Structures are given as C-alpha cells and as structure tokens.
C-alpha cells in the first residue's frame, strides 16, 4: 500500500507548483493565457495520456456517451467539472488580492475537506465503516490547519498594508477564496461520480490505475467548457484577440505549457494512486493531495518573497502546515484500519 501514497505525494508536488505559471502571464492578457492553459491542461493532455494508456479509449467514450444507463453518469461528471470550472476562475481572481500562499491555503483546505466529505456521505453505510471516524478526524484537523494558515495570511496582510499604506483587500480576497474552495471540491466529486466510466475502461482492457484517466477525460470536458467559455467571453468583451501575438510573449506561453503539465500531471497521478488504494481512494487521497500541496506552494511563495518581513505570521503559517501534514498522516492511516 506504500506505492499509491507515494503517487499521491508525487502528485502533490505537481499540484503545489502549477500556480507558479500564473506569475508569468505578462505580456499576455489573462484571458489569452488562460485559454491556452485550459486547452492544454483540460483537453490535449487528458486525451493524449488517456489515448496512450487506455486501450480503445474512443470505444469507451462512445459507450459512455450513447448507452442510456451511462448517460446520467456522464452528465453528472461533466456538471461537477463545469461547476469546478467556476471555482478555477475564482482562484485566478483571488490570488492578486491575497497572494498565492493564502489563496492556496484556503482553497486547498476547503476543497480537500468537502471534496472528500461529499463522496464519503454518499457511500452506503459510510458511518458504520471502521475508517469513518479517522476520515472525519482527518478532515476536521484539515479545517483547523486551514484556519491557522488563513490567520497567518491575515496577519501578514496587516503588516504589509501598514508598511505600504495601501488599502487592504483581505476580506474580499478571502471571501472569493472560500467560494473557490467550496466549488473546487466538486472536481473530486465529479471524479468519484465518473467511477463507472473508469470501470468500463477496465472491462475493456485498461489496467486499474490507468482506467481513471478515462474518467478524467469526461469530467474535464465540463471543466473546459466553463473555463474556455469565460476566457472567450473576455476576449470578445475586452477586444483582446490580438494579444495572442503580442511581442515578447514566448516566456508566457512556455509557462502556460509548464503549468498545464503540472496541473493535469497532478490529477492524472492522483487518480492512479486513488485507484490503487481502492473504493475509498478518492476520499482518502484527495485531502492528502491538496493538504500536502500546500507545503509545496508555500515553499514557492516563500522563495518569491511573499512572506518577507513577516516573521511571526510565517511561523504561524508553518504551524498550520504541520497541522495539515498531521491530518494527511491520519487520512493515510485510515486506509489500514479494518
């Protein structure tokens, strides 16, 4: 059972690093960069990886979309992906207000907790399983860790606002991040809802850990519709179609590609780890993925100087990350309980 958890830890490195690309959007407009990122991360990479790893991928998708017994599964998976897409947009809006560290702390904590809790409560006789108290304890501790990291971000914002004399947008930024976190939880709900698609891929020859890639393809169709639709709306509204050709944008395009690889790399590897854990993999693995990714994202934020001159808030942040790590240990242990 060590291997699937190593996969989730590896995925958390990708998940915690993809936000770096958002710091290098210039000189592209946000909507231009985001459309490139969404197309690569939510369409090209999922289809390419699934095509290489899932025998007869198009046969699996054909059955999933045309079989009457599967159509509800497809619709729900895409719907949750679409709703997550709204959260993805809010993530990009929140970062300029409160920084990458605090945004990731709130979003990943809430998304991890509720993204695990909803599928858990949908399981038959969930409360009677031996893992249930450990999972609930892990989720509660995760929320405590999120609260500590949020407090650290608020304290840091007070220091930086006082030093610069600028008006703080901390309340607005946190409100957006909370909404983003709740909606972002639905990505994992969609993945769990799409389990029958993964089972179908397995029946048609895919090994268990690769079968999850077929599920991601369907979920991310809904996510892409939302993200691409919003980006295209802004391109028309702001009349910024010409920004794709702006001089000196090669670096921004490179970071869009790198961010896309990290983003779907995280989901693809997480899906494999969750599949190997078993039926409860999506419940245990998801909060572990997002909790551990906070450590990675805050490492990058620290390197970028976001916590410069805020020693005490940074120490509080470290305490929050220790709590989140402890929560991940409890969630991992829950899978060994029988």
């Amino acid at each position: 059972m060590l291997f699937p958890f190593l996969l989730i830890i590896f995925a958390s490195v990708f998940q915690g690093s993809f936000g770096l690309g958002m710091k290098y959007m210039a000189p592209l407009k946000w909507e231009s960069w985001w459309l490139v990122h969404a197309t690569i991360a939510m369409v090209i990479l999922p289809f390419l990886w699934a095509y290489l790893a899932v025998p007869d991928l198009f046969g699996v998708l054909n059955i999933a979309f045309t079989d009457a017994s599967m159509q509800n599964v497809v619709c729900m998976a895409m719907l949750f992906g679409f709703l997550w897409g709204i959260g993805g947009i809010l993530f990009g809006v929140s970062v300029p207000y409160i920084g990458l560290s605090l945004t990731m702390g709130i979003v990943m904590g809430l998304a991890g907790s509720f993204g695990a809790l909803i599928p858990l409560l949908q399981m038959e006789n969930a409360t009677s399983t031996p893992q249930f108290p450990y999972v609930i304890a892990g989720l509660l501790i995760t929320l405590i860790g999120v609260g500590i990291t949020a407090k650290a971000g608020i304290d840091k914002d007070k220091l930086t606002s006082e030093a610069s004399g600028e008006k703080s947008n901390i309340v607005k930024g946190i409100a957006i991040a909370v909404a983003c976190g709740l909606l972002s939880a639905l990505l994992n709900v969609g993945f769990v809802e799409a389990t029958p698609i993964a089972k179908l891929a397995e029946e048609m020859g895919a090994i268990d850990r690769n079968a999850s890639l077929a599920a991601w393809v369907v979920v991310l169709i809904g996510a892409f519709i939302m993200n691409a639709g919003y980006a295209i709306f802004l391109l028309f509204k702001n009349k910024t179609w010409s920004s794709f050709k702006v001089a000196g944008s090669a670096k921004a395009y490179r970071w869009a590609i790198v961010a896309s690889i990290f983003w779907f790399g995280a989901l693809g590897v997480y899906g494999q780890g969750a599949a190997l854990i078993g039926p409860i993999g999506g419940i245990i693995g998801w909060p572990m993925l997002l909790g551990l990714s906070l450590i990675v994202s805050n490492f990058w934020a620290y390197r970028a100087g976001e916590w410069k001159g805020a020693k005490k808030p940074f120490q509080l942040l470290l305490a929050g990350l220790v709590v989140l790590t402890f929560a991940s240990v409890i969630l991992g242990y829950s899978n060994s309980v029988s």
Side-chain angles (χ1 to χ4, degrees), residues 26-177:
L28 290 178
K29 295 294 186 181
W30 182 92
E31 52 267 33
S32 306
W33 191 94
W34 198 259
L35 183 59
V36 173
H37 167 66
T39 303
I40 297 172
M42 300 173 198
V43 178
I44 296 175
L45 291 179
F47 267 99
L48 180 61
W49 192 354
Y51 178 76
L52 294 174
V54 178
D56 195 16
L57 172 65
F58 291 105
V60 172
L61 296 178
N62 182 58
I63 294 174
F65 278 87
T66 58
D67 191 308
S69 64
M70 293 287 289
Q71 287 177 357
N72 186 59
V73 171
V74 169
C75 289
M76 291 305 295
M78 291 176 60
L79 174 62
F80 284 122
F82 183 89
L83 293 173
W84 166 85
I86 300 174
I89 298 299
L90 293 178
F91 181 90
V93 174
S94 179
V95 170
Y97 284 118
I98 58 176
L100 182 60
S101 298
L102 183 52
T103 300
M104 291 288 281
I106 295 172
V107 171
M108 296 305 182
L110 292 177
S113 299
F114 286 92
L117 187 60
I118 294 171
L120 175 64
L121 296 179
Q122 289 177 329
M123 289 179 60
E124 188 175 353
N125 300 320
T127 56
S128 62
T129 61
Q131 295 95 345
F132 183 78
Y134 292 93
V135 173
I136 293 298
L139 296 180
L140 288 174
I141 294 171
T142 297
L143 289 174
I144 292 171
V146 171
I148 294 172
T149 59
K151 178 64 166 61
I154 292 170
D155 291 348
K156 183 204 73 169
D157 184 79
K158 287 180 180 178
L159 289 175
T160 54
S161 296
E162 289 172 0
S164 64
E166 295 179 357
K167 183 180 179 181
S168 172
N169 288 306
I170 189 73
V171 175
K172 184 176 182 179
I174 287 179
I176 296 171

Side-chain angles (χ1 to χ4, degrees), residues 170-225:
I170 189 73
V171 175
K172 184 176 182 179
I174 287 179
I176 296 171
V178 168
C180 172
L182 295 175
L183 287 168
S184 295
L186 300 181
L187 187 63
N188 192 55
V189 177
F191 176 67
V192 174
E193 288 285 336
T195 298
I197 300 170
K199 294 293 184 184
L200 176 62
E202 197 171 337
E203 291 169 5
M204 296 179 66
I207 61 175
D208 52 0
R209 61 187 176 89
N210 286 338
S212 62
L213 294 167
W216 278 128
V217 167
V218 176
V219 175
L220 294 179
I221 290 174
F224 177 73
I225 290 172

